[in-house]
Amino acid sequence: DGGITQSPKYLFRKEGQNVTLSCEQNLNHDAMYWYRQDPGQGLRLIYYSQIVNDFQKGDIAEGYSVSREKKESFPLTVTSAQKNPTAFYLCASTPPSGRKSEQFFGPGTRLTVL
Amino acid sequence: AQSVTQLGSHVSVSEGALVLLRCNYSSSVPPYLFWYVQYPNQGLQLLLKYTTGATLVKGINGFEAEFKKSETSFHLTKPSAHMSDAAEYFCAVIHSGNTGKLIFGQGTTLQVKP
């Protein structure tokens, strides 16, 4: 089955630690996206990548980093510089048909920083 | 700048009643519009989309939406609510730049009462 996987589903970390969230897709999609979701605030774009080895900052990139070494993978690192990292993180991708297409979402990772 | 406004963060209906979730957008270019549904602790699932052509769009689970350019609206409706429709609903518009980014509304939580 094709799709987007995010792991783990739940993640707990101590304050001050970096943590990496995984996002993998086997849909042959070119573009991938990371969103942060907080109650009552909708989805906010953190980073996106339209092609391997290239990525751009979204609206709330501070305290986050990404890499795109493979088409299938777009991991997100939440660094200790992120002041309020506890949130639900969603990864998405779009097919090669590009900007006119909907985004396909993974199941999400809920990060709790203690 | 493009934006999406969902009127009403919470909507409550009785089972069998009409569901109406409101979405207004602002866009300087012809919009591509989407409605997504999110169940608790899950990713987003596409309900329907408008790109071009027929302004009344039918989606999954009996939902439909009508694009009204003159009103800059894309309201989501379902004639008869079911308990399983209880979820959070997001309206989104594709960003005008050639990036495929989505701009989301704040979301509307639909409660269905027995």
Side-chain angles (χ1 to χ4, degrees):
Chain A
D1 270 341
I4 302 175
T5 57
Q6 292 185 244
S7 59
K9 180 70 172 174
Y10 298 95
L11 189 54
F12 297 88
R13 279 294 181 270
K14 292 184 178 179
E15 194 171 343
Q17 289 182 333
N18 290 357
V19 60
T20 297
L21 282 58
S22 168
C23 177
E24 304 278 333
Q25 54 97 1
N26 60 3
L27 300 167
N28 196 34
H29 288 180
D30 289 318
M32 298 184 73
Y33 307 81
W34 273 107
Y35 293 92
R36 170 182 172 135
Q37 186 177 19
D38 297 281
Q41 296 195 46
L43 279 73
R44 294 181 289 169
L45 182 65
I46 305 172
Y47 268 99
Y48 65 102
S49 167
Q50 293 182 279
I51 196 170
V52 174
N53 293 323
D54 188 44
F55 48 83
Q56 287 79 39
K57 294 182 179 180
D59 302 317
I60 56 164
E62 185 175 352
Y64 300 96
S65 66
V66 293
S67 62
R68 187 84 187 278
E69 297 176 2
K70 298 187 300 182
K71 187 175 186 177
E72 301 79 15
S73 179
F74 191 40
L76 173 74
T77 297
V78 184
T79 75
S80 57
Q82 169 49 235
K83 297 193 184 330
N84 185 19
T86 294
F88 191 51
Y89 291 88
L90 287 160
C91 179
S93 66
T94 54
S97 53
R99 67 167 295 272
K100 310 296 189 195
S101 178
E102 69 270 25
Q103 291 183 8
F104 293 75
F105 284 81
T109 292
R110 185 166 296 282
L111 173 64
T112 302
V113 175
L114 306 172
Chain B
Q2 290 172 289
S3 65
V4 175
T5 302
Q6 292 183 237
L7 299 175
S9 58
H10 288 84
V11 170
S12 181
V13 300
S14 297
E15 191 174 18
L18 171 71
V19 175
L20 171 60
L21 304 182
R22 299 178 186 274
C23 173
N24 288 89
Y25 68 91
S26 170
S27 178
S28 58
V29 298
Y32 283 46
L33 295 156
F34 306 87
W35 274 101
Y36 284 88
V37 62
Q38 183 182 34
Y39 298 99
N41 289 310
Q42 295 187 26
L44 275 65
Q45 179 183 8
L46 181 71
L47 275 177
L48 49 80
K49 64 181 179 182
Y50 170 78
T51 54
T52 57
T55 57
L56 182 63
V57 180
K58 294 187 184 300
I60 62 171
N61 302 338
F63 284 93
E64 63 182 35
E66 186 170 12
F67 169 63
K68 292 187 176 181
K69 183 178 179 180
S70 61
E71 298 177 9
T72 61
S73 69
F74 191 55
H75 302 330
L76 182 70
T77 60
K78 182 174 180 177
S80 177
H82 191 273
M83 296 298 291
S84 61
D85 294 327
E88 189 160 20
Y89 292 80
F90 292 95
C91 182
V93 64
I94 276 197
H95 189 270
S96 57
N98 193 28
T99 62
K101 292 193 296 182
L102 285 176
I103 299 166
F104 285 89
Q106 301 304 304
T108 298
T109 299
L110 176 65
Q111 179 188 23
V112 182
K113 297 177 292 186

